[in-house]
Amino acid sequence: MSATANSSGSAPFAPGKSIVIVGMPGAGKSSIGRKLAVRLGVPFFDSDAEIETAAGMSVKQIFERFGEDEFRKGERRVIARLLGQPPHVLATGGGAFMEKETRDLIRTRAVSIWLHADVEILLERATRRNDRPLLQGGDLRELMMGLLTKREPIYAEADLKI
Ligand code: S3P
C-alpha cells in the first residue's frame, strides 16, 4: 500500500485533527478506519451508522422514503456534529465528500484520506451487498463507472491518497 500527498504538496500531518476517510463504496473505508482508530487509540465513527442511529432506519430506507437530497442533508449534519468532537477517525459514505459544504468542513477540521481501490475490487465487493441505493436498478458496472468518473476528480482533492 502506498500513500501520496495531493497535488498541493502541503503537509497533511496535523496533530489534534480528526482523520476522515473518503472513497467509493466497497473501498474498505470502515474496516480500515476501525483499524486505524485502534492503532491511534482514538474513537472510530462511521457516518452511515450514525445517520441510521439518528434516523432510526437504514440508509436504504432513508433513500426510499425521503430521497437522496434528504439523506445528504442528514449526512451533512451528522458529519458536522462528529467533526465538532475531539480527534477521531471517521469513515464517510461514498457520496459525502461530493457535497461542497461537507468537503469544506472536512478540509478545515480534519485530515482527509482517499482510500482508493481498483474498480474490479469495488465491483466484486458490490455484488456481495444490495443495500447501496446508488448501485441498484441497472447494470452494476455501468453504475459504478458512472460514479467513478464523476467522483474520482473530487476524491483527488483529499489530503492523502492510499
Ligand atoms: C453512498 C454510499 C454508501 C451510503 C449511501 C450512499 C454513495 O456508503 O452512504 O448508500 O453515495 O456512494 P458506503 O460508501 O459506505 O457504501
Side-chain angles (χ1 to χ4, degrees):
M1 196 178 270
S2 64
T4 50
N6 77 5
S7 54
S8 75
S10 59
F13 181 66
K17 282 194 171 183
S18 288
I19 293 174
V20 174
I21 306 184
V22 305
M24 287 292 284
K29 301 181 293 284
S30 299
S31 41
I32 298 285
R34 203 170 280 115
K35 286 181 186 159
L36 182 60
V38 170
R39 278 277 188 103
L40 296 173
V42 297
F44 169 74
F45 296 102
D46 178 310
S47 67
D48 283 345
E50 294 289 321
I51 294 162
E52 290 183 333
T53 303
M57 62 181 91
S58 69
V59 167
K60 194 168 180 234
Q61 287 171 325
I62 301 172
F63 266 76
E64 280 165 5
R65 292 194 200 168
F66 304 108
E68 183 176 354
D69 284 356
E70 283 305 309
F71 172 77
R72 296 297 169 205
K73 279 185 203 158
E75 182 174 60
R76 207 151 53 222
R77 278 196 300 271
V78 159
I79 292 174
R81 171 174 59 78
L82 292 170
L83 290 180
Q85 294 185 19
H88 56 271
V89 176
L90 170 62
T92 58
F97 204 59
M98 298 303 113
E99 302 291 304
K100 185 172 181 322
E101 215 178 291
T102 303
R103 207 158 60 242
D104 289 345
L105 195 70
I106 293 173
R107 199 170 281 133
T108 49
R109 301 213 191 144
V111 172
S112 51
I113 298 176
W114 172 19
L115 192 59
H116 179 269
D118 186 83
V119 64
E120 298 305 327
I121 290 175
L122 298 177
L123 283 167
E124 196 270 316
R125 290 179 184 164
T127 56
R128 293 191 228 146
R129 279 176 60 170
N130 67 349
D131 59 349
R132 290 181 171 121
L134 298 182
L135 294 175
Q136 307 288 300
D139 177 76
L140 181 60
R141 184 175 288 269
E142 266 176 36
L143 292 169
M144 187 71 86
M145 292 312 293
L147 286 183
L148 273 171
T149 307
K150 268 197 289 186
R151 291 181 172 183
E152 288 209 326
I154 313 278
Y155 291 143
E157 292 180 25
D159 296 311
L160 282 171
K161 175 184 175 187
I162 295 181

